[in-house]
Amino acid sequence: MVKITKEAALEYHKSGRPGKIEVTPTKPYRTQTDLSLAYSPGVAFPCLEIQEHPNDAYKYTDKGNLVAVISNGTAVLGLGDIGALSGKPVMEGKGLLFKIYGGIDVFDIEVDEKDPEKFCEAVEKIAPTFGGINLEDIKAPECFYIEERLKRTLDIPVMHDDQHGTAIISAAGLKNALEVNGKDISKVSIVVNGAGAAAISCTKLYMALGARKENILMLDSKGVITSDRENLNEQKRFFATDRTDVHTLEEAVKGADVFVGLSKGNVLTKDMVRSMAKDPIVFALANPVPEISYEDAMDSRPDVLMATGRSDYPNQINNVIGFPYIFRGALDVHASAINEEMKLAAVHAIADLAKQPVPDVVNDVYKVNNLTFGPSYFIPKPVDPRLITEVSAAVAKAAIDSGVARHIITDWEEYKNNLRQMLGLQTKVTRKLYDTARAHPQRVVFAEGIHPTMLKAAVQAKAEGICQPILLGNDERIAKLADQLDLSLEGIEVVNLRHDREAERRERYARILTEKRQRDGYTFEEANDKMFERNYFGMMMVETGDADAFITGLYTKYSNTLKVVKEIIGVRPEYQNFGTMHIINSQRGTLFVADTLINNNPNTDQLVDIAKLASTAVRFFNEQPRIALISHSNFGSDQSVGSRKVREAVAKIHEQAPDLPIDGEMQISTALDRELRDTLYPFNRLKGMDVNTLIFPNLTSARSSYKMIQALEPNIEIIGPIQMGLNKPIHFADYGSSVRDVVSITAVAVIDAYVDKIKRSFSVK
C-alpha cells in the first residue's frame, strides 16, 4: 500500500485549482440566445411550470441528480470533533466519489451547528434544492435523532452513510462469508465490538437478514453492554444482554462464530481468535489500523475468514460499494425516502454480484487473474463496473415495490444501458455492436490462443454470446494457461495447427494457396511450410469457409501480417488499397478516424481510397459520413507537398463522388468547429454539418491523434483498429489492446462476417 504523507496530501488538495470538485454548465452558453434561455427572460417559463407542478423540478433542474453531503464536523473520520470547516475536504472527497462512481452531482454543505434541533432546521430549509441528502460525520447519539427527524419531515431520500453504508456492505459480506463457511445466520453467535452509529446500524441490518438478538453481544469502551448497566442510551439499551458471565472482549469472543469490529485498532489478539468457534469470521473494520491485522488473524489459525476496511487486503468493506448506487437508484425513481426494503435490496445485489464471474478490468486493477467467490473474495471490489447497474436497479425496484417511488421504470434493460452510457462504461455504438453480434454469432478464429489477453477475450466473447471462438495454438499450453487464469474452455474449439492430426488440412490449404498464387512463384512445398504459421493457417480457415472471421495482432508485427493478408485474402476489387479505422466515442459524439494502422505515408490515390473506405465503414455503423481531410493548412493556405496531396485527393473525390459530404484540406480545429468553418470558409461542402470522420495525411498524425486523446482521457472509449477494404473479415488487434478492446473488435468482425455472407448470397442469386 502506498504510504500517504502529509506533504503529498496537502499538495494534492492545493495544486491546480484548489479543492476536488467544481460546477460545470450542462447547456449551451456561447450565444446571446443561449444566455437568454438559461437566465432572463427564458428561465421564467420553467419556474412557472414548477410552481404549478412541483415534481417538474425533476424535469427542468438538476434536482433529480443532485445530492447534498451535509456535516457539522463532529465525528470526522478518525479525527473526532474538528468542526464544520475543517471537515470540508472530507465532504468534497465524498462528492468526488458520488460523481465518479454514480454520476451524481454534489454540493458539500458544512453546517456550523451542534444543536440537533437547529441543525435539522437548517437542513430542512435548504432541502428543496436537492433530490437526496447524505448525512456525514455527525457524532452519536445525535446522528440517530437527526436522521430520524429528517426522514420524517422531508420527502426526499435521507441517509447517514456512516451508519447505513457500512451496514449494507458489511451485511452483504457477512451473508456471503457465512455461505462460504456453510453457517446459518440465525444460529451463529456474533460479537460486535463498538456501539457507535455504524455498529448499531450494522447489527440491526444483520438482524434483518436473520441474526437473532439473543445470539449477539455488543461491547463499548466499558465492555459488554449488559442490562444491569446504568445510563445506557436508547440504542445501546436495545442490544443489552441479560448474561452476567461475560464482561470483557476476551470472554465475549470465546466460542463466537463472528467478530465484527467497529472500534479501534489492535484490540483483538491472536489468542482471542484462536478461542473462537470453528471456521470463524473476523471483520476488523477499524481504519486505518484494524482491530487485528490481516497477517495476525491469518497466522492465528488457517480457517479464519477475514475482512477489513483496507484496500490492500482481500474483502475490503468499503462504503463506496454502496452509497453512490443506493442514491443513484433512489434518485432515478424520484424516491421520497431510502427505506429498509431498499437497503436490503442493496445488500442482496452486492452479495449476489460477488458470486458472478469477475470482469477483466477488476483483475487488471488488482493484478490478479483468478478472483472467484470464496474465502479471499466474498465482497465485490470497488472498481467493479457492474455495481452501478446491479445495485442501482435493485434499489430502484425496491423503491417502486415499496411505494416510495414517484417515477416508475418499466424497461430495466434500457435503464441499465443508460447507466453504463452515463458513466462511459458503454456507449450506444458499443451496445449496438454487441447486440447485433449477439443476434448473428459467427465462427471467429483467434490467432494467438496462448496470449492471456486473447484467451480471456475469446472466453468472454463466448460468454457474452458474440461468437463461437476457435483458438489457434498448442492445446496443452492453452489448457494450462486457462487453468492458471481460472477460465473455462467448455464449448471452445482449440486447433493445434502443428499437430499431426491437422496434416490433411494443412495440405489442403497449401494446395488452394498454391493454385491461387502460382503465377507469383509459389510452390506447394513453400505453401505447405507456411501453414505451420498461425496467420497463414487462420486466414486460410476464413478463405476456405472453415471459419467466418479472424483476429490477430497481439504478437505479430503488422508488416508480417499485412504480407499474409495480401497473399491470402486480398483487397476488394473496387479498391487498390485497404486501411483501418478507430472509433472514438466522446461526450461530443462519435468520431471515426483513418487510416490508423496500414498506410504509412499515403499518396493522393491512396488517400482517395482511404476516404471512400471510411465512407463505407461509417455507413456500416449506421451513421451518415461527413468527412474532413486533415492537414496543417486550410483550403490552400499552404503550398507544401503534404498539403497539395490532400487537396488533390479532395478534388478527385469531388469528381468521383460529387454527393459525398467531404472537404479539405483543413486543420482539425476547422473541421470540428462548424461555426468557425462556415464563417471563414462559407464555400465548404460541409456547411451546416458536424464532421464525424477525420482522414489524416499520414499514419503518424492519425495514430498520434487518437493515442493522445486516449492518454489525456483514459476513460474515453476507443474501438479499433477496424479493417476497411479486405475481401474477407480479417481484423487486427493492437499490441496494447485490453481484453475489452479485443472483444469489441470481435463484435465488429462478427458483424462484418455476417454482412459479408449476406452480400455473397445476393451476388450468387
Side-chain angles (χ1 to χ4, degrees), residues 285-297:
L285 305 183
N287 219 350
V289 181
E291 284 79 2
I292 184 173
S293 71
Y294 180 83
E295 291 83 0
D296 283 352

Side-chain angles (χ1 to χ4, degrees), residues 84 119 205 344 354 377 482-483 564 566 576 607 634 662 673 696 703 719:
F119 181 89
L205 198 53
L344 281 171
Y377 176 74
D483 187 58
V564 182
K566 291 175 181 177
Q576 297 297 314
L607 280 176
N634 285 312
I662 185 170
D673 189 332
F696 284 86
R703 284 186 72 82
I719 303 172

Side-chain angles (χ1 to χ4, degrees), residues 124-160:
E124 287 163 353
K125 296 297 184 185
I126 63 173
T129 305
F130 303 100
I133 290 176
N134 180 97
L135 298 170
E136 193 78 15
D137 291 352
I138 303 170
K139 73 181 181 73
E142 289 90 336
C143 63
F144 299 114
Y145 170 79
I146 289 171
E147 186 190 46
E148 285 304 314
R149 168 168 163 173
L150 293 176
K151 286 170 68 175
R152 187 174 64 252
T153 59
L154 299 180
D155 66 345
I156 57 175
V158 177
M159 188 173 86
H160 184 206

Side-chain angles (χ1 to χ4, degrees), residues 459-625:
V459 171
Q460 187 170 326
K462 185 179 189 305
E464 296 195 26
I466 289 172
C467 73
Q468 177 55 53
I470 303 170
L471 295 169
L472 294 187
N474 184 290
D475 46 351
E476 293 180 0
R477 290 182 61 195
I478 290 174
K480 183 178 180 181
L481 179 61
D483 187 58
Q484 291 172 352
L485 298 176
D486 198 27
L487 300 173
S488 172
L489 296 178
E490 184 178 355
I492 295 178
E493 182 181 355
V494 178
V495 176
N496 187 344
L497 66 158
R498 295 173 177 265
H499 200 281
D500 288 345
R501 62 175 171 265
E502 295 297 338
E504 186 278 329
R505 180 150 53 167
R506 288 195 302 269
E507 291 181 7
R508 175 164 57 89
Y509 289 169
R511 289 191 184 92
I512 294 170
L513 180 59
T514 303
E515 184 176 346
K516 184 175 183 178
R517 310 297 300 187
Q518 60 189 0
R519 291 291 180 177
D520 297 317
Y522 255 81
T523 64
F524 171 78
E525 289 75 16
E526 181 184 5
N528 197 37
D529 285 345
K530 291 182 184 299
M531 291 310 132
F532 286 92
E533 299 176 25
R534 56 180 173 265
N535 282 325
Y536 275 97
F537 188 93
M539 289 187 202
M540 284 302 300
M541 291 181 73
V542 177
E543 175 68 11
T544 59
D546 288 348
D548 303 309
F550 180 73
I551 310 286
T552 188
L554 290 179
Y555 280 139
T556 315
K557 290 182 179 179
Y558 291 128
S559 55
N560 294 339
T561 305
L562 300 183
K563 178 177 180 292
V564 182
V565 168
K566 291 175 181 177
E567 288 181 5
I568 295 178
I569 303 299
V571 178
R572 285 163 51 184
E574 62 266 38
Y575 299 103
Q576 297 297 314
N577 309 278
F578 74 104
T580 61
M581 165 187 286
H582 274 75
I583 303 174
I584 302 172
N585 289 313
S586 67
Q587 288 187 346
R588 64 168 288 155
T590 301
L591 274 178
F592 301 89
V593 178
D595 169 31
T596 52
L597 185 64
I598 305 301
N599 298 284
N600 186 34
N601 188 24
N603 58 32
T604 297
D605 290 334
Q606 288 173 319
L607 280 176
V608 170
D609 266 4
I610 292 168
K612 289 181 177 179
L613 286 166
S615 172
T616 302
V618 171
R619 290 190 181 95
F620 175 84
F621 292 103
N622 291 320
E623 299 279 346
Q624 289 302 312

Side-chain angles (χ1 to χ4, degrees), residues 549-754:
F550 180 73
I551 310 286
T552 188
L554 290 179
Y555 280 139
T556 315
K557 290 182 179 179
Y558 291 128
S559 55
N560 294 339
T561 305
L562 300 183
K563 178 177 180 292
V564 182
V565 168
K566 291 175 181 177
E567 288 181 5
I568 295 178
I569 303 299
V571 178
R572 285 163 51 184
E574 62 266 38
Y575 299 103
Q576 297 297 314
N577 309 278
F578 74 104
T580 61
M581 165 187 286
H582 274 75
I583 303 174
I584 302 172
N585 289 313
S586 67
Q587 288 187 346
R588 64 168 288 155
T590 301
L591 274 178
F592 301 89
V593 178
D595 169 31
T596 52
L597 185 64
I598 305 301
N599 298 284
N600 186 34
N601 188 24
N603 58 32
T604 297
D605 290 334
Q606 288 173 319
L607 280 176
V608 170
D609 266 4
I610 292 168
K612 289 181 177 179
L613 286 166
S615 172
T616 302
V618 171
R619 290 190 181 95
F620 175 84
F621 292 103
N622 291 320
E623 299 279 346
Q624 289 302 312
R626 300 180 295 276
I627 306 171
L629 269 71
I630 303 302
S631 182
H632 63 277
S633 56
N634 285 312
F635 297 103
S637 62
D638 182 84
Q639 298 300 318
S640 65
V641 174
S643 295
R644 191 164 60 248
K645 77 171 182 179
V646 177
R647 281 198 302 278
E648 291 171 355
V650 170
K652 285 190 175 184
I653 298 168
H654 283 171
E655 182 179 341
Q656 296 172 16
D659 295 329
L660 181 64
I662 185 170
D663 217 332
E665 89 281 14
M666 65 181 84
Q667 297 174 0
I668 289 183
S669 57
T670 306
L672 298 181
D673 189 332
R674 181 182 64 188
E675 185 176 339
L676 174 69
R677 174 172 21 95
D678 290 355
T679 300
L680 295 180
Y681 310 103
F683 56 84
N684 79 86
R685 294 199 181 188
L686 293 162
K687 191 171 183 178
M689 302 180 190
D690 290 320
V691 167
N692 63 3
T693 308
L694 305 176
I695 308 299
F696 284 86
N698 54 57
L699 193 59
T700 299
S701 58
R703 284 186 72 82
S704 297
S705 295
Y706 87 79
K707 288 286 188 182
M708 181 176 68
I709 293 171
Q710 195 171 42
L712 294 175
E713 297 288 344
N715 293 324
I716 203 167
E717 183 183 50
I718 297 181
I719 303 172
I722 298 163
Q723 73 91 351
M724 309 180 297
L726 292 177
N727 271 321
K728 293 286 179 70
I730 307 298
H731 288 263
F732 312 99
D734 214 334
Y735 68 91
S737 295
S738 67
V739 172
R740 202 65 193 169
D741 292 335
V742 179
V743 174
S744 295
I745 294 168
T746 303
V748 174
V750 167
I751 301 169
D752 192 8
Y754 175 66

